[in-house]
Amino acid sequence: GIDIVLDSLQGPYFQPAFDRLSRGGRHLVLGAASMTPCGPRPNWIRLAWQWLMRPSVDPLDIIAQNRSVMGYNLIWMWDKE
């Protein structure tokens, strides 16, 4: 399996990558580019659908499988004083 995943897309790529993690593997979520609107106007229906269909992970499963999902908002890392 994979030891570490650096995920800036999420969407349909999250679950296949998470499923391939080895025991002790880490899935770092660094963004959600798949949810970024394209074009001058957002398609609110598409965004709502993506929001409803976003991936979810059962905390009991990640304990049993010894995996982790961690999220970082990189913008805030440079805003600290």
Side-chain angles (χ1 to χ4, degrees), residues 11-12 14-15 35 46-56:
F14 176 86
Q15 198 64 50
M35 301 232 359
R46 180 174 181 262
L47 286 173
W49 178 254
Q50 287 178 311
W51 178 260
L52 292 171
M53 299 307 293
R54 69 189 188 277
S56 63

Side-chain angles (χ1 to χ4, degrees), residues 13-49:
Y13 305 101
F14 176 86
Q15 198 64 50
F18 182 77
D19 291 343
R20 287 173 176 75
L21 282 177
S22 61
R23 292 198 180 272
R26 309 282 193 258
H27 192 125
L28 277 69
V29 179
L30 305 169
S34 65
M35 301 232 359
T36 304
C38 300
R41 293 184 182 164
N43 180 339
W44 295 110
I45 295 173
R46 180 174 181 262
L47 286 173
W49 178 254

